Amino acid sequence: MAPDRASGARAVCSAPPQSSHQELPMLDVVMLALGLGFFILTLGYAYACERL
């Protein structure tokens, strides 16, 4: 294998970890929960401003 021109080190190819495919659905659930939470927060804020 030829040395890398910039650093002189050998290039190493590595596959991404297999567990990354299993974490994505959980991230979707977290993002949906955050979106719903912020929506409820804005409804509460609008209600509080209405009472002023």
Side-chain angles (χ1 to χ4, degrees), residues 20-42:
S20 65
H21 297 293
Q22 296 171 355
E23 295 173 5
L24 293 178
M26 185 61 187
L27 185 60
D28 292 342
V29 171
V30 169
M31 292 303 289
L32 286 172
L34 282 173
L36 183 63
F38 279 121
F39 180 72
I40 292 171
L41 186 66
T42 59

Side-chain angles (χ1 to χ4, degrees), residues 3-20:
D4 186 48
R5 291 181 187 170
S7 65
R10 292 183 178 222
V12 176
C13 296
S14 63
Q18 296 295 328
S19 64
S20 65

